[in-house]
Amino acid sequence: MISKKVVLIDGHSILNRAFYGVPILTNSEGLHTNGIYGFLNIMFKAIEEEKAETLIVAFDLKAPTFRHKMYGAYKGTRKPMPQELHEQVPVLKEVLQAMEIPIVTKEGYEADDILGSLSRIYEEQGCDVTVISGDRDLLQLATEKVKISIPKTKAGGTQVENYYAEDVLKTYQVTPTQFIDLKALMGDASDNIPGVPGIGEKTATKIITAYGSIEEAHAHVDDIKPARAANNLREHYDMAVMSKKLAAIDTHAPIEIPDTSAGLENMYSQSAYQMMKRLEFKNILNRFDQENVAVPVLSAAVELTDRNEQQQKIFEAMSRPMFSAYPICEDGLWGLVMAYDDKCFWMPTKSADDLNGMAGWFDGHPDMAVMDLKERLHYFPLKESDNVLDISLMAYLLNPLKDSYDYDDIARDYLGMTLPSRADLYGKKKLSEIFSEDRTKALTWLGYYASLPLKAAPELRAALEKENMWELYREIELPLSFSLYRMEIAGIRVEREALREYGDHLVGRIQELEQEIYALAGEEFNILSPKQLGTILFEKLHLPYGKKTKTGYSTSASVLEKLQDEKPIARLVLEYRQLTKLKSTYADGLANFISEDERIHGKFHQTITATGRISSTEPNLQNIPVRVELGRRIRKVFVPKDGCVFVDADYSQIELRVLAHMSGDENLIEAYKQAEDIHRMTASQVFHTPLEEVTSQQRSNAKAVNFGIIYGISSFGLSQGLSITRKEAEVYIKQYFAAYPKIKDFLDGLVAEGKEKGSVYTLFHRKRPIPELFSSNFMQRSFGERVAMNSPIQGTAADIIKIAMIHVDRRLREEGLKSRLVLQIHDELLIEAAMDEVETVKQILHDEMSHAAKLKVPLEIDINTGTDWYEAK
DNA sequence: AAACTCACG
DNA sequence: ACGTACGTGAGTTTT
């Protein structure tokens, strides 16, 4: 007989584990989904590992309460489910139903009893059973054929502990059945099992291993040591017997076995797909077979190959109040999808150049809906216009926390439509492959690219207007897309040969360090492996370990720095890390991005950050080393093209100035009007010391406090930043707020506003939603509070430099200059300036940056020039 | 794919 | 009591 594989899941227990193991996650409806997400991942993992043929989930009928951590000497108490978890229970059941996974409940019985009874029945039928639960009480069900599987929620990667009967014996020195006796002696406050007073885990284990059961133990009660335990057992034996009844799981509950004849065949059904879409579990959607995905037709594209016909349709579109367009450009497939009224056309072209040429037909166009404007401009160079409605950019402004703003995301969030994503449709195939396989299908899908933007753009515009953010879109974000596009086109020149020499220079020193470290360690190992390094440092060499991470010892710079004065190996490892970082990320990393034109054309992203900043990738040009001299030298390989120099301009402490303005604190405003050194001034005011007498220690402490304020002050954070105690940090904060009372009011006000509105805002109405503020988890809520304090400041600074960029870029072009913006690094702009334009460029940078916003304090700019970036900064 | 570490503002 | 500074992206190792 082939034994069937059965998996039984303790529904509430696993949901609870998942809820606390997976960080906050909500879908667009605001429904919390982290527990369900974690549950499904544990479930899928179990199905795969156990090769399950039958799967059943058991639930209690009453919403259970859950154990929480032990506090001091007291037993854990049970807390009711927080709302964020409670709301997930019915949804999880819906998901399971949609997947046709049987759910079993029984009036008057707990999930434990259902699991116990089912596992007994299946075992009797000769099946291999796995019971999955977070609750160790279930270990009493383990046998030779019944495995108890307890997932350990190690953030992200869930590991499982598996127990057959023999494993229980090995780990706990008692058999599964004796587990009941053990609990009967120990008791369990959270389960209302009284147990025997005065007998805890240690004594209970001793007694049960010796006598096998409470009955046997009672029969030999006179032999039990210590005498105290014996007396207790004698006196409270009836209590122990009663406890045993309570602790025992009923394996003979009157449970009807659900119909599992269909097995797991129907797990990936259409209705399950719809549920996963609704919950926005993109990872899980990948498991669904693409062939089975229903494809709603929004407006399939009609193919138009004739160039004249194409042009005619475009002219027709130009006469409408709004149309949409989306260029396609991949290997061997070029063309434009466009839509207007309820029509949609696919206009293939013979080459990328032909597609490029079509852009001219759109000059002076009416409202034009698109997606990912900046990216599209590379294939379809539209003239800059304020009539473009980039639905991705608009959706980003309405909710900057999303990780994607593709048509399906927008269809779901703003039109309540469920559309298949590109990944759902193509999988790993290219559009051109789909075209040759099934033309109709390809045209249906292409329709989404143009039809959806056309439908969604008015909705998004209305939403922006309602939230007072239309101006932010029109005046800042949209023009910025064009500026960023031009910056990507411009790129920055990098001397390939000099970069290689820099890397070679590092290699020599890296090899020396490597040998020195091996010598001190007494063996060769991979220094870059935190695991191996931790073992060497903290186990072999017995260095005192500071922190621990989830997986082992922390070997982070902050730990090694504390050791480096005493232990040379720590200093060497730090230097080794520094150099290998420079070599791999910068010397080698950047080299991979140098194009034929000797320049690096990185990407600047406008829809990534939660605060409104720009981000940079492929490569990241916003984190080129500067703080340490050796790293800083890499900037010498960034050079302007012949006939140009670099002009670099950065704001001086823009975030603190924004804080001064937004809080309206007269003391800080006055400080900025007077002092050239704001950290010194802060030190003077916070420590009540005359400006001239401020020590460098005081100044650097004040600087750390200023940073802390911007990050959303907490005594712990400041104590870390300054390497002082929390108490001392608290004193600093108190003194700071005494010196600048309005700042305290302002920051408190931001948190209050966040809690009231669910979002905080910048000076230019940029919105940052903060769902964490409503978390029942202290840590997440505190994070939300720090975010509420930081985002308006960081975001307003981001707004200001965006305005400056747009104005600088506009003037460079309108004044017919050859100089070009090449980089933005949050508070810094780098221009490749023609030699004869340097003075003009400096003037433009100074004027446009200092006047980008009118604040209650001046915006100060530092400007430098140089023949490389090292020199210009 | 996740964890860790580290580069920048 | 909880366990942290805010915002990013990339390389390496480990699972």
Side-chain angles (χ1 to χ4, degrees):
Chain A
M1 189 179 74
I2 302 159
S3 58
K4 215 167 84 171
K5 314 278 186 188
V6 177
V7 169
L8 307 174
I9 299 182
D10 186 348
H12 277 124
S13 167
I14 293 302
L15 179 61
N16 182 60
R17 278 282 165 121
F19 176 75
Y20 288 106
V22 178
I24 188 169
L25 195 66
T26 56
N27 72 352
S28 300
E29 303 164 27
L31 179 77
H32 289 83
T33 55
N34 59 334
I36 302 172
Y37 184 71
F39 183 102
L40 292 176
N41 279 326
I42 291 171
M43 185 180 88
F44 285 130
K45 198 171 175 198
I47 292 172
E48 279 152 24
E49 281 181 3
E50 308 297 335
K51 301 191 172 58
E53 292 155 275
T54 297
L55 175 70
I56 299 172
V57 183
F59 282 100
D60 304 310
L61 276 173
K62 283 187 300 191
T65 53
F66 288 99
R67 276 191 197 84
H68 283 258
K69 298 210 168 151
M70 305 287 221
Y71 298 128
Y74 296 97
K75 269 279 195 182
T77 51
R78 282 188 169 236
K79 277 190 181 171
M81 266 187 201
Q83 165 59 24
E84 296 101 302
L85 175 54
H86 190 253
E87 70 187 29
Q88 298 186 51
V89 176
V91 185
L92 173 61
K93 288 182 180 170
E94 258 185 86
V95 173
L96 295 173
Q97 253 157 29
M99 301 179 85
E100 297 187 26
I101 291 167
I103 293 174
V104 181
T105 58
K106 181 76 188 174
E107 187 69 53
Y109 292 87
E110 292 187 0
D112 287 2
D113 305 319
I114 298 169
L115 294 166
S117 305
L118 288 175
S119 70
R120 176 189 55 79
I121 294 166
Y122 280 114
E123 186 181 13
E124 285 171 7
Q125 290 178 5
C127 302
D128 286 327
V129 182
T130 301
V131 180
I132 303 177
S133 175
D135 190 344
R136 279 176 198 278
D137 290 348
L138 285 249
L139 289 177
Q140 62 180 268
L141 300 177
T143 69
E144 277 176 27
K145 299 275 280 179
V146 175
K147 179 167 80 177
I148 311 300
S149 185
I150 300 178
K152 285 281 226 174
T153 57
K154 277 191 173 176
T158 49
Q159 293 190 334
V160 285
E161 283 178 15
N162 287 319
Y163 295 92
Y164 285 104
E166 56 171 340
D167 304 306
V168 175
L169 189 59
K170 263 187 231 151
T171 315
Y172 294 96
Q173 290 84 49
V174 296
T175 66
T177 328
Q178 288 169 343
F179 221 82
I180 308 172
D181 297 81
L182 199 64
K183 200 167 162 186
L185 285 180
M186 283 161 54
D188 187 341
S190 60
D191 269 346
N192 284 324
I193 294 173
V196 175
I199 296 185
E201 190 183 341
K202 293 259 165 62
T203 319
T205 308
K206 221 185 286 171
I207 293 172
I208 298 303
T209 47
Y211 300 98
S213 70
I214 53 170
E215 290 81 5
E216 274 302 300
H218 188 242
H220 300 90
V221 70
D222 297 333
D223 306 338
I224 292 176
K225 279 183 232 164
R228 241 181 83 88
N231 283 334
N232 284 334
L233 178 58
R234 199 177 291 119
E235 199 168 319
H236 299 284
Y237 181 60
D238 53 338
M239 196 95 103
V241 172
M242 190 189 81
S243 294
K244 187 168 172 177
K245 281 191 184 128
L246 289 171
I249 291 173
D250 185 351
T251 56
H252 287 80
I255 304 294
E256 282 167 42
I257 295 193
D259 176 15
T260 56
S261 54
L264 298 172
E265 297 290 302
N266 301 328
M267 228 171 36
Y268 297 106
S269 65
Q270 275 295 329
S271 58
Y273 177 84
Q274 293 301 326
M275 282 301 296
M276 301 306 174
K277 266 300 214 198
R278 184 183 152 216
L279 295 171
E280 299 164 31
F281 293 157
K282 293 183 187 176
N283 258 338
I284 293 177
L285 280 167
N286 292 336
R287 296 171 165 275
F288 284 75
D289 186 354
Q290 288 143 29
E291 296 306 312
N292 292 337
V293 171
V295 179
V297 176
L298 197 58
S299 178
V302 173
E303 184 160 351
L304 227 55
T305 44
D306 183 82
R307 194 87 168 160
N308 286 329
E309 269 187 275
Q310 292 176 353
Q311 190 163 19
Q312 191 198 324
K313 292 294 179 197
I314 288 171
F315 283 151
E316 202 170 314
M318 295 302 104
S319 71
R320 303 297 194 274
M322 186 187 288
F323 74 104
S324 73
Y326 187 91
I328 301 280
C329 191
E330 56 173 66
D331 294 340
L333 186 70
W334 306 277
L336 187 75
V337 202
M338 60 173 299
Y340 59 94
D341 301 340
D342 54 359
K343 302 189 198 47
C344 183
F345 299 103
W346 162 239
M347 305 178 174
T349 61
K350 291 198 183 69
S351 66
D353 280 347
D354 283 353
L355 175 62
N356 237 262
M358 283 168 90
W361 298 349
F362 289 80
D363 286 356
H365 61 74
D367 281 354
M368 175 183 191
V370 299
M371 282 187 292
D372 292 325
L373 171 66
K374 178 178 65 65
E375 183 64 18
R376 297 299 111 194
L377 288 174
H378 285 279
Y379 315 124
F380 201 63
L382 291 167
K383 282 228 174 76
E384 185 165 349
S385 140
D386 58 4
N387 281 342
V388 179
L389 299 159
D390 178 350
I391 62 167
S392 308
L393 193 50
M394 294 197 285
Y396 164 71
L397 293 182
L398 288 164
N399 181 0
L401 302 185
K402 298 262 166 182
D403 49 18
S404 156
Y405 300 93
D406 211 337
Y407 64 86
D408 57 314
D409 303 296
I410 293 170
R412 177 192 63 228
D413 293 349
Y414 299 95
L415 300 171
M417 287 170 69
T418 305
L419 294 184
S421 67
R422 294 178 207 226
D424 293 344
L425 295 171
Y426 306 142
K428 288 192 179 97
K429 288 179 194 164
K430 285 187 165 185
L431 186 58
S432 49
E433 291 175 64
I434 308 285
F435 247 101
S436 41
E437 281 169 20
D438 185 342
R439 220 170 177 75
T440 318
K441 212 184 218 176
L443 290 171
T444 304
W445 299 353
L446 271 180
Y448 297 143
Y449 296 179
S451 302
L452 193 279
L454 188 66
K455 257 184 161 30
E459 304 281 338
L460 289 159
R461 179 179 177 152
L464 285 171
E465 283 169 345
K466 191 172 159 209
E467 300 221 37
N468 201 9
M469 295 171 76
W470 179 242
E471 217 184 318
L472 173 67
Y473 173 75
R474 216 37 188 271
E475 306 294 329
I476 299 179
E477 298 297 337
L478 178 59
L480 184 70
S481 280
F482 289 91
S483 292
L484 292 175
Y485 162 69
R486 285 187 282 268
M487 223 158 70
E488 292 177 351
I489 296 280
I492 185 166
R493 184 173 169 199
V494 173
E495 288 190 314
R496 202 187 292 268
E497 194 50 27
L499 186 60
R500 199 185 54 74
E501 281 168 21
Y502 178 83
D504 290 346
H505 170 247
L506 294 173
V507 171
R509 180 69 185 139
I510 287 171
Q511 284 167 348
E512 279 173 33
L513 284 164
E514 209 170 65
Q515 292 312 315
E516 289 180 54
I517 291 167
Y518 293 158
L520 286 172
E523 66 182 287
E524 296 198 358
F525 65 103
N526 187 342
I527 306 167
L528 289 181
S529 158
K531 196 177 167 187
Q532 293 178 37
L533 180 64
T535 310
I536 295 283
L537 293 183
F538 303 119
E539 284 175 17
K540 183 168 181 191
L541 302 179
H542 301 106
L543 304 198
Y545 58 89
K547 275 186 292 188
K548 277 202 257 186
T549 63
K550 281 169 225 156
T551 48
Y553 305 105
S554 168
T555 63
S556 70
S558 70
V559 171
L560 298 184
E561 275 160 15
K562 282 173 192 144
L563 296 170
Q564 66 178 336
D565 292 339
E566 308 262 323
K567 312 286 178 181
I569 192 168
R571 187 180 50 73
L572 295 175
V573 170
L574 280 169
E575 193 182 350
Y576 179 83
R577 284 232 185 105
Q578 193 195 357
L579 299 202
T580 50
K581 174 99 180 180
L582 290 173
K583 173 81 169 108
S584 62
T585 305
Y586 298 102
D588 299 346
L590 290 174
N592 291 327
F593 288 99
I594 303 176
S595 310
E596 302 268 298
D597 60 359
E598 241 206 327
R599 300 174 79 88
I600 290 181
H601 300 269
K603 292 182 178 173
F604 292 94
H605 303 276
Q606 208 178 345
T607 58
I608 298 294
T609 71
T611 53
R613 277 188 175 178
I614 285 162
S615 90
S616 161
T617 64
E618 297 175 60
N620 184 351
L621 294 169
Q622 291 180 320
N623 72 346
I624 304 301
V626 68
R627 292 172 189 170
V628 175
E629 175 57 26
L630 178 63
R632 190 176 194 144
R633 279 190 219 148
I634 205 168
R635 294 181 172 223
K636 291 182 198 249
V637 309
F638 288 82
V639 294
K641 71 177 172 196
D642 296 342
C644 290
V645 291
F646 278 147
V647 181
D648 183 291
D650 69 296
Y651 282 107
S652 146
Q653 297 133 6
I654 187 169
E655 291 183 341
L656 272 184
R657 289 170 198 267
V658 164
L659 174 66
H661 173 85
M662 291 179 90
S663 67
D665 185 279
E666 291 86 359
N667 260 340
L668 191 56
I669 294 171
E670 205 44 45
Y672 263 117
K673 288 193 170 159
Q674 287 174 7
E676 53 235 44
D677 183 344
I678 191 63
H679 299 311
R680 173 170 284 266
M681 183 60 124
T682 305
S684 159
Q685 294 184 340
V686 170
F687 305 127
H688 309 293
T689 307
L691 200 58
E692 314 75 48
E693 291 171 29
V694 169
T695 64
S696 65
Q697 182 65 55
Q698 283 177 316
R699 184 187 179 277
S700 97
N701 289 353
K703 186 174 173 179
V705 175
N706 279 332
F707 270 106
I709 294 290
I710 286 164
Y711 292 158
I713 196 81
S714 79
S715 56
F716 182 89
L718 182 61
S719 70
Q720 290 293 298
L722 274 175
S723 306
I724 56 173
T725 66
R726 274 174 71 161
K727 277 258 159 46
E728 292 169 308
E730 273 168 33
V731 174
Y732 283 3
I733 294 168
K734 228 186 192 148
Q735 285 178 307
Y736 182 92
F737 284 140
Y740 306 110
K742 278 207 182 165
I743 290 182
K744 169 125 182 77
D745 295 344
F746 171 66
L747 296 175
D748 289 347
L750 287 177
V751 173
E753 183 184 13
K755 288 188 172 167
E756 187 197 322
K757 297 179 182 161
S759 301
V760 291
Y761 299 86
T762 68
L763 217 52
F764 298 87
H765 310 135
R766 185 186 303 280
K767 174 187 184 179
R768 161 87 194 252
I770 314 178
E772 293 90 346
L773 282 173
F774 307 103
S775 171
S776 55
N777 177 310
F778 172 85
M779 206 182 71
Q780 291 185 351
R781 205 167 53 246
S782 305
F783 170 73
E785 289 167 1
R786 293 195 294 273
V787 165
M789 296 187 260
N790 170 267
S791 294
I793 301 171
Q794 191 184 118
T796 300
D799 295 343
I800 291 172
I801 192 154
K802 281 178 169 179
I803 294 167
M805 273 181 83
I806 296 161
H807 291 175
V808 167
D809 185 31
R810 186 169 294 160
R811 283 196 54 193
L812 292 178
R813 287 173 302 117
E814 283 179 357
E815 295 177 20
L817 301 171
K818 301 182 284 291
S819 307
R820 290 291 174 256
L821 265 173
V822 291
L823 294 182
Q824 187 257 36
I825 310 104
H826 308 306
D827 64 350
E828 171 186 359
L829 297 177
L830 185 66
I831 287 181
E832 185 178 65
M835 302 269 207
D836 55 335
E837 296 173 358
V838 169
E839 287 314 311
T840 317
V841 165
K842 281 164 98 170
Q843 192 66 47
I844 290 175
L845 279 168
H846 181 270
D847 291 353
E848 299 302 343
M849 288 175 79
S850 39
H851 296 135
K854 178 99 190 82
L855 304 187
K856 292 171 182 161
V857 291
L859 282 174
E860 284 190 8
I861 324 293
D862 290 325
I863 300 184
N864 286 294
T865 59
T867 53
D868 59 56
W869 195 9
Y870 179 93
E871 200 181 317
K873 172 79 185 168

